[in-house]
Amino acid sequence: MAEEAGMFTVPQTIGSVLCCKCGVPMEPNAANMCVKCLRSEVDITEGLQKNVIILHCPECDNYLQPPRTWIKAQLESKELLTFCVKRLKNLNKVRLVHAEFVWTEPHSKRIKIRLRVQKEVLNGAILEQAYIVEYVQQENMCESCTRVQANPDQWVAAVQLRQHVSHRRTFFYLEQLILKHDAAVRAIKIKQMDQGIDFFFSNRSHAVKFVEFVGKVAPIRSRHDKQLVSHDSKSNNYNYKYTFSVEISPICREDLICLPPKLASSLGNIGPLVICTKVTNAIALLDPFTLRHCFLDADQYWRVSFKSLLTSRQLVEYIILDLEPISSEVNIGGSKYVLADCQVARVSDFGKNDTIFNIRTHLGYLLRPGDYALGYDLYGANSNDIELDKHKRLNIPEAILMKKSYEEKRHRKRGKARPYKLRSLNMEVDESQSRADQEKMSSEYEQFLRDLEENPEMRFNISLYRNKEYQPSEVASMTDGEDLPSVPLEELLADLEISDEEDGDESMRE
């Protein structure tokens, strides 16, 4: 400012003094010594640890944080750097400025960290110095890995997931939720059973946490028992094996339900014939004739514990002959519904009879004349449900449509690869299954994949990965039709590489 105004300014020069030790000119400081002489006189790293021994588990890649805590950290990660710095003693005598890894051979069992510290020395001068700390990595298996190595089948807690239905579509979906949230990462063994899956854990707390996770994604009821394995009367130590029995509600999506009279009355006289549209930790029910809906949580369901009147395995294919909407569009839970009166006929009756049904459906927004739909044939069904007999003067419709059918269009794409893949748990499967059971499971898994393609809400909660072997064909895309539901490529994850060496617990399924 003074130079711009044309004023005279006295130039300021920084004076220099001679070092009292070596006589080298330098800028004045409180100690009157240069940096080299000051470091030769004072070592601020004296008394600080430069060699530390850390314990590492080679099986689970964890490090022991005394006294008994094991933490997981990758090489040259922030977690490992924080762990190593906290292991140093007397570091509070200096001020830590910077810490970084020094590269070492991965198989050398050595970790080196360069630390830069500051400390006030002679007459208030602050000296900064860098030094290297070497950590010697000693291999020592943790308690859980030791137990597994001694006896791989030695588990402490077991969770038995069961659902008493005739299909496994619920477990296919639950498997994807478990993989996305890493809920079974602590399981030492997973075994596929007849009507469910068994999970084995080395710690009771891991099993409790897993049961809590299942309770957040499905309506369940559970009970637990324990069995004494051994005890030491002198030290008062007892070893137990814990078993958690978890039962999932038999109500599944797209099931037809006849509500008990008391429950229907408590829900505002809904139904009593309703369909299940969604199952999470609560059951979403919809009246297909009035578009009234309600939700049942796990406590409400198990208090009454009703069963399905008809399940998705009993769906029959219909063709829409005529359709006339009678209500405006209604959005329920992200799905659009429109009440409509329609004329339908069973596809199996073509060429045999002229039976036509006049029914009301909630799928007026989705269906058009000439479309195919899957529904429940109540006209030819022989139902002996107890709850249905309790409702007097109940007008039972001839058919209830559930969803649009794409069987004819899928028939042309049969045998072609899908653009996505799913992960699967590393489960022990009973190899003594008959060929019929294997074909049944394959068909159920195929139906589960079709449900994923038709329902975006189901895809929202799971992770789908891009299939690198998939090569789209322009000719096939023109002949398959535009209305066939599929998974958009934007929803697929591409950054996944799974090999047997990197991850032995998971595999990919198309």
Side-chain angles (χ1 to χ4, degrees):
M1 293 294 292
E3 293 179 356
E4 294 176 359
M7 298 176 60
F8 174 76
T9 57
V10 178
Q12 296 181 359
T13 58
I14 300 176
S16 62
V17 297
L18 299 179
C19 175
C20 63
K21 286 286 186 180
C22 62
V24 175
M26 66 171 193
E27 294 183 6
N29 56 35
N32 289 329
M33 283 191 291
C34 63
V35 178
K36 292 183 179 180
C37 296
L38 192 59
R39 287 178 176 172
S40 64
E41 289 290 327
V42 181
D43 184 13
I44 63 175
T45 64
E46 185 179 0
L48 301 180
Q49 281 185 298
K50 296 182 176 62
N51 293 281
V52 183
I53 297 176
I54 57 177
L55 298 181
H56 171 256
C57 178
E59 297 294 329
C60 58
D61 202 20
N62 289 351
Y63 293 87
L64 176 63
Q65 184 174 4
R68 296 183 61 183
T69 305
W70 291 84
I71 62 172
K72 191 173 187 64
Q74 301 294 331
L75 287 177
E76 298 192 2
S77 63
K78 294 181 179 179
E79 294 80 7
L80 184 58
L81 184 62
T82 304
F83 166 75
C84 292
V85 171
K86 287 184 178 181
R87 290 298 311 273
L88 296 177
K89 298 179 181 178
N90 301 327
L91 197 60
N92 55 354
K93 295 181 179 180
V94 294
R95 180 173 176 265
L96 180 62
V97 179
H98 181 69
E100 62 181 357
F101 286 101
V102 179
W103 186 85
T104 57
E105 290 286 347
H107 60 272
S108 64
K109 307 299 181 184
R110 299 289 190 275
I111 299 175
K112 292 184 179 181
I113 295 179
R114 181 183 289 111
L115 301 177
R116 190 174 296 276
V117 295
Q118 291 180 350
K119 186 178 182 181
E120 184 177 344
V121 291
L122 302 175
N123 299 324
I126 297 178
L127 181 64
E128 183 175 311
Q129 188 174 348
Y131 72 105
I132 293 179
V133 182
E134 184 180 31
Y135 295 84
V136 180
Q137 188 173 298
Q138 290 187 356
E139 304 296 344
N140 187 9
M141 285 196 297
C142 60
E143 184 180 353
S144 59
C145 292
T146 303
R147 186 184 300 112
V148 173
Q149 288 293 328
N151 185 3
D153 296 330
Q154 187 175 2
W155 51 270
V156 176
V159 179
Q160 300 174 345
L161 273 181
R162 297 292 184 271
Q163 186 185 33
H164 301 297
V165 293
S166 58
H167 58 83
R168 298 186 64 88
R169 288 164 58 187
T170 302
F171 290 102
F172 291 143
Y173 182 64
L174 186 61
E175 178 183 7
Q176 299 304 317
L177 293 178
I178 292 172
L179 287 169
K180 181 175 182 179
H181 298 278
D182 289 333
V185 69
R186 298 283 187 177
I188 61 176
K189 187 174 70 170
I190 305 175
K191 189 175 182 181
Q192 179 178 310
M193 305 302 291
D194 184 22
Q195 289 186 327
I197 307 175
D198 286 353
F199 296 83
F200 299 92
F201 299 89
S202 60
N203 198 319
R204 180 182 180 273
S205 60
H206 299 160
V208 172
K209 187 176 180 181
F210 179 76
V211 173
E212 292 176 353
F213 167 79
V214 178
K216 293 178 181 178
V217 298
I220 65 169
R221 64 177 176 182
S222 62
R223 53 168 300 204
H224 61 276
D225 297 299
K226 62 181 180 179
Q227 180 182 6
L228 180 63
V229 177
S230 63
H231 76 281
D232 187 354
S233 58
K234 294 182 179 179
S235 60
N236 202 26
N237 290 333
Y238 293 83
N239 295 325
Y240 292 95
K241 276 193 173 183
Y242 302 90
T243 302
F244 295 83
S245 178
V246 181
E247 182 181 357
I248 303 176
S249 165
I251 304 298
C252 300
R253 195 173 64 89
E254 299 176 355
D255 283 0
L256 179 64
I257 303 165
C258 181
L259 295 176
K262 291 185 179 180
L263 180 60
S265 177
S266 64
L267 296 176
N269 290 324
I270 189 174
L273 288 178
V274 295
I275 58 176
C276 178
T277 58
K278 189 177 181 181
V279 178
T280 55
N281 56 350
I283 302 174
L285 302 177
L286 174 70
D287 189 341
F289 310 111
T290 61
L291 296 186
R292 296 179 60 191
H293 66 282
C294 65
F295 295 91
L296 286 178
D297 58 19
D299 293 337
Q300 288 177 311
Y301 171 77
W302 291 111
R303 202 178 298 128
V304 183
S305 184
F306 52 87
K307 294 184 178 181
S308 301
L309 181 63
L310 295 173
T311 65
S312 58
R313 295 177 62 88
Q314 299 167 283
L315 290 172
V316 178
E317 191 171 15
Y318 290 86
I319 185 171
I320 310 300
L321 303 177
D322 189 17
L323 187 138
E324 182 181 355
I326 61 173
S327 72
S328 59
E329 180 182 313
V330 179
N331 194 322
I332 301 176
S335 301
K336 298 178 181 179
Y337 301 104
V338 172
L339 281 179
D341 290 333
C342 63
Q343 287 185 349
V344 298
R346 288 176 295 202
V347 175
S348 59
D349 289 345
F350 275 18
K352 298 180 181 179
N353 54 56
D354 298 330
T355 306
I356 296 177
F357 305 108
N358 295 306
I359 61 173
R360 178 166 295 182
T361 180
H362 62 292
L363 302 177
Y365 176 81
L366 190 62
L367 298 177
R368 296 293 180 269
D371 288 345
Y372 291 88
L374 294 176
Y376 292 111
D377 182 14
L378 300 181
Y379 176 79
N382 185 12
S383 176
N384 55 358
D385 188 76
I386 300 177
E387 303 298 338
L388 192 63
D389 298 336
K390 293 181 182 179
H391 294 277
K392 299 179 179 179
R393 300 177 182 177
L394 177 62
N395 186 15
I396 299 178
E398 296 172 329
I400 297 179
L401 301 183
M402 290 300 301
K403 60 181 180 179
K404 189 175 180 179
S405 175
Y406 302 93
E407 291 297 326
E408 183 181 0
K409 297 177 181 178
R410 281 200 176 99
H411 185 73
R412 290 178 287 186
K413 288 191 65 176
R414 188 165 299 172
K416 298 181 182 179
R418 285 183 166 87
Y420 62 90
K421 286 185 176 182
L422 297 176
R423 288 190 295 172
S424 60
L425 291 172
N426 185 21
M427 289 188 290
E428 294 184 6
V429 183
D430 187 8
E431 298 180 355
S432 62
Q433 288 183 344
S434 62
R435 185 175 180 180
D437 293 337
Q438 295 177 359
E439 292 178 354
K440 176 186 174 184
M441 185 171 295
S442 299
S443 63
E444 290 174 354
Y445 189 75
E446 175 68 22
Q447 184 61 42
F448 167 69
L449 296 180
R450 294 179 181 179
D451 291 341
L452 287 181
E453 295 169 352
E454 297 175 9
N455 195 338
E457 292 185 17
M458 292 180 63
R459 299 197 300 266
F460 179 77
N461 296 322
I462 66 176
S463 299
L464 292 89
Y465 301 95
R466 189 167 298 172
N467 184 8
K468 293 184 178 181
E469 300 176 357
Y470 173 75
Q471 295 181 353
S473 174
E474 296 182 0
V475 178
S477 61
M478 295 175 61
T479 57
D480 289 342
E482 299 178 355
D483 297 334
L484 188 63
S486 61
V487 179
L489 294 178
E490 296 80 10
E491 298 183 13
L492 303 182
L493 303 178
D495 54 345
L496 180 73
E497 293 292 338
I498 293 181
S499 63
D500 295 337
E501 296 179 358
E502 295 176 356
D503 193 346
D505 294 337
E506 298 171 357
S507 58
M508 298 290 284
R509 294 179 64 177
E510 294 185 11

